[in-house]
Amino acid sequence: MAIGDVREVTVGDCSDLYYLDTGMYETEGYGAVYIRDDERPAIVETGIGTNYELILDALAELDIAPEDVAVITVTHIHLDHAGGAGLLAEACPNADVHIPGVGASLLADPGKLVAGTKNAVGDQWQYYVEPEPIPEDRIVELEDGDVIDLGEHELRVHTAPGHAFHQVVFEDPANDAVFTGDAAGIWIPDREEIVETSPPSDFDLEQCLDDTRTIADIDPDVLLYTHFGPRYVGDDADRALEEYATVLTEWVNAVEAKRGELDDEELMDHFAAATDHGDAWSDEKASAEAAMNVRGVVGYLDGRE
């Protein structure tokens, strides 16, 4: 799947759902945005803002006018999910922007969010654009249990704060699917492999494990990953979520064990050099991802002491 490509989600019972590769970090197969074609068309996730025009091109390809988009929503306010929300709000003037309530103010006035993101992603900031503030009168604050009505489909909101305190996942009952945000890890479709995500500064292992159980209890047939793409799990949702819980736990244990030998900078360098995800993304992205994930685990371990 090339950057800018738009594909229909055809696994399971999914219908009227499309996703595109936004070319996040100039990397194929890393950042997806979903478009729901319904009575009230919706964009789920918005990327980092760079290449947001590709989302508008996808709307055009699907014969959805920007003026007809009714909902723009994000699973959480990390800028790889919400960085394009302000730009899309400008381009889609009739859309409400649905944001987890605890993080909404940070997208209305994103200065603190930008500073935190720069600190978290380091040199990767070169791939971002400054997010546009979202007018407060366009924001709909989401809470656990809320429902976003799209017409034939709806999105049910479930809090999932382990990856970030402001994260939710969206259950799509009609499609027997869940938009997972980062609560179910990062899916590498070409390798059919699930890998960890543990960025600073809110990562909490125990809560992340609870979040996997939240999704498992929904028992979807399809997991819709922002990173990256749809995954059919059928009757094996429990197994898929348990697999990620194991991956994440083993990752935290590995960082903790190595921390006894290395200082924090050496620790990041060690895992950045050891990652084998470069063949799926790029060596630069894989190393930066590993270093960022180490920092998140270190922060979690420090908070536990």
Side-chain angles (χ1 to χ4, degrees):
M1 186 171 184
I3 292 169
D5 281 355
V6 181
R7 291 186 180 175
E8 185 174 7
V9 179
T10 57
V11 296
D13 294 327
C14 290
S15 63
D16 304 317
L17 180 63
Y18 303 84
Y19 72 110
L20 69 143
D21 187 330
T22 64
M24 193 178 292
Y25 307 111
E26 297 183 4
T27 299
E28 293 180 358
Y30 186 82
V33 165
Y34 292 86
I35 298 173
R36 162 71 66 212
D37 188 3
D38 208 323
E39 294 171 29
R40 304 182 69 242
I43 299 169
V44 181
E45 308 287 49
T46 68
I48 59 177
T50 310
N51 296 341
Y52 85 99
E53 297 92 346
L54 294 177
I55 303 172
L56 301 180
D57 292 344
L59 291 173
E61 185 173 332
L62 299 173
D63 200 26
I64 300 172
E67 295 79 7
D68 291 337
V69 174
V71 171
I72 298 166
T73 192
V74 298
T75 57
H76 58 296
I77 65 168
H78 285 168
L79 290 181
D80 57 329
H81 296 250
L87 292 163
L88 289 173
E90 288 184 350
C92 303
N94 298 314
D96 291 327
V97 186
H98 296 247
I99 304 168
V102 292
S105 64
L106 292 172
L107 287 179
D109 183 6
K112 290 183 179 178
L113 186 59
V114 168
T117 302
K118 288 180 177 178
N119 183 57
V121 305
D123 291 343
Q124 292 184 92
W125 179 256
Q126 66 181 302
Y127 297 109
Y128 289 71
V129 296
E130 292 282 341
E132 289 293 325
I134 301 170
E136 292 185 4
D137 63 358
R138 301 279 302 280
I139 292 175
V140 177
E141 297 189 9
L142 297 174
E143 307 295 340
D144 187 54
D146 284 350
V147 176
I148 305 172
D149 179 19
L150 304 178
E152 293 186 10
H153 299 84
E154 63 184 22
L155 301 178
R156 298 179 183 173
V157 179
H158 301 262
T159 56
H163 176 83
F165 71 90
H166 40 79
Q167 181 176 243
V168 302
V169 298
F170 297 120
E171 176 189 0
D172 179 350
N175 279 344
D176 200 3
V178 170
F179 295 88
T180 62
D182 288 334
I186 292 178
W187 176 243
I188 303 177
D190 288 346
R191 291 164 47 163
E192 296 190 348
E193 180 181 5
I194 194 71
V195 300
E196 67 280 344
T197 176
S198 59
S201 58
D202 302 317
F203 171 74
D204 182 290
L205 175 61
E206 287 73 26
Q207 185 61 65
C208 283
L209 299 181
D210 286 346
D211 295 344
T212 65
R213 289 187 283 270
T214 293
I215 300 173
D217 287 346
I218 298 170
D219 193 26
D221 277 358
V222 178
L223 301 175
L224 300 166
Y225 294 89
T226 309
H227 314 292
F228 173 83
R231 176 189 181 189
Y232 180 71
V233 294
D235 294 331
D236 289 330
D238 276 346
R239 181 197 58 77
L241 275 302
E242 287 173 5
E243 177 189 13
Y244 180 56
T246 299
V247 165
L248 193 58
T249 301
E250 290 178 349
W251 163 247
V252 171
N253 290 342
V255 173
E256 184 174 24
K258 204 67 180 177
R259 198 183 185 195
E261 306 171 20
L262 304 171
D263 65 31
D264 289 352
E265 196 67 35
E266 292 170 334
L267 193 66
M268 288 189 290
D269 290 344
H270 169 79
F271 284 99
T275 182
D276 67 349
H277 301 155
D279 61 339
W281 305 326
S282 68
D283 289 340
E284 177 190 7
K285 176 55 187 165
S287 296
E289 186 88 6
M292 181 177 67
N293 284 335
V294 168
R295 291 181 61 209
V297 174
V298 168
Y300 159 74
L301 295 173
D302 285 345
R304 203 176 60 177
E305 292 174 356

